[in-house]
Amino acid sequence: MGNSTYTPTPEDKFTFGLWTVGNRGADPFGAPVRDKIPPVHIVRLLAEIGAYGVNFHDDDLVPIDSPAAERDRIVAEFKQTCADTGIKVPMATVNLFYEPVFRDGAFTANDSEVRAYALQKTMRAMNLGAEFGAGVFVLWGGREGVETDACRSVPDAIKRFRDSLNYLCEYNISQGYGYKFALEAKPNEPRADIYFPTTTAYLAFIETLEHKEMVGVNPEVAHEQMPGLSMMHAVAQAWESGKLFHIDLNDQYPGRYDQDLRFGSVSVKQSFWLVKFLEDVEWDGMRHFDAHAYRTEDHEGVKDFARGCMRTYLIFKEKARRWNESAAIREILDEIAASDKDAIGRFSPDSASTLLSRTFDRQAIAKRGLKYEKLDQLTMEILLGVD
Ligand code: GLT
Ligand code: MN
Ligand code: MN
């Protein structure tokens, strides 16, 4: 692992959540296996391994029932450590899933008192993030869902979620925070069904908001791959509609629980296409890792995990450069481009009648081999390191 080309620097814009490197390895069947790492130690660890920033939920940084003086002490100490190490806080979020009060959801809960508390908790988390200059506010509605559809109508849930988002956008404006909200989808877990199960479901919902320009998405690899979807396609659609505000990089075996594995550790080819997409479009956001170390790891293993996420990203970035510079690949791409010669253009009665009377030799068109096998093999050889 000695190649310095793959050594991360803050310019690479790699970020981690406090909850990622701080993950203690608990799962539904087992107790924590690692000691709690105090937030300021996590900041130092991230600086040591070459990350750019750290992100947090309100409760990750300030334990939920902290008295005001304790909150201020924690915030001041964290700020000082960020300043000392140069670690930034580009994103903040709110925990609306852990506390029992959210067992029936937060913004979509049937009890209006729960919905009001969820809004209050979110506004306070926005205040906290703003103290650190965070520009993106992620909302993952982990409890916004059901085990039984007997309890609530889906349109009611959607309407409540919309009302909350509209409220928070107004709060953002009134405080002059300038946050961009990034909605994070997940199909299930911890609820049997979570509303807005995919990134693309959120993209449709955002269009119905009063301040839709303020709201985008935070796609996560694991959450798209759980139901077997393509993360890169979700990211590309979000980017194409100007809605890619943040990204959660990790990995996942399809069809299983949310694994949050080290980036690139399972889906080599899909991860490559994802990195290639982000780099080709020169996406200017953070490369955030929402993953955690295996339960087998100690503190050193956590560093191995975090370094591995970044190193793999940089390796894929280098592979993408090789792909773009490959003469053999270029030749096939030129042939693909040459087959795209005359666009139909916009509708007009004239163009429609021309098109209606045009003759197509569909057998001849379908005879030409498209060379995608060769193109994919060339891709694989780059990935496998023989080219
Ligand atoms: C939680 C979840 C993640 C979200 C985090 C932000 S919290 O760890 O599993 O996918 O991105 O709320
Ligand atoms: Mn996530
Ligand atoms: Mn996840």
Side-chain angles (χ1 to χ4, degrees), residues 322-340 368-372 374-376 378-379 382 387:
R322 292 179 85 92
W323 198 97
N324 289 334
E325 288 175 1
S326 157
I329 288 175
R330 173 56 41 205
E331 202 176 300
I332 300 176
L333 295 183
D334 287 347
E335 282 182 37
I336 292 173
S339 72
D340 184 15
R368 192 171 57 85
L370 299 184
K371 302 195 181 157
Y372 294 174
K374 188 169 176 194
L375 186 57
D376 191 72
L378 290 166
T379 304
I382 289 175
D387 192 22

Side-chain angles (χ1 to χ4, degrees), residues 221 225 250-254 262-274 316:
V221 177
Q225 292 187 181
N250 56 21
D251 216 338
Q252 171 77 27
Y253 289 92
R262 191 178 77 256
F263 180 62
S265 61
V266 180
S267 333
V268 172
K269 200 167 168 186
Q270 290 97 317
S271 306
F272 165 71
W273 292 125
L274 178 60
F316 283 138

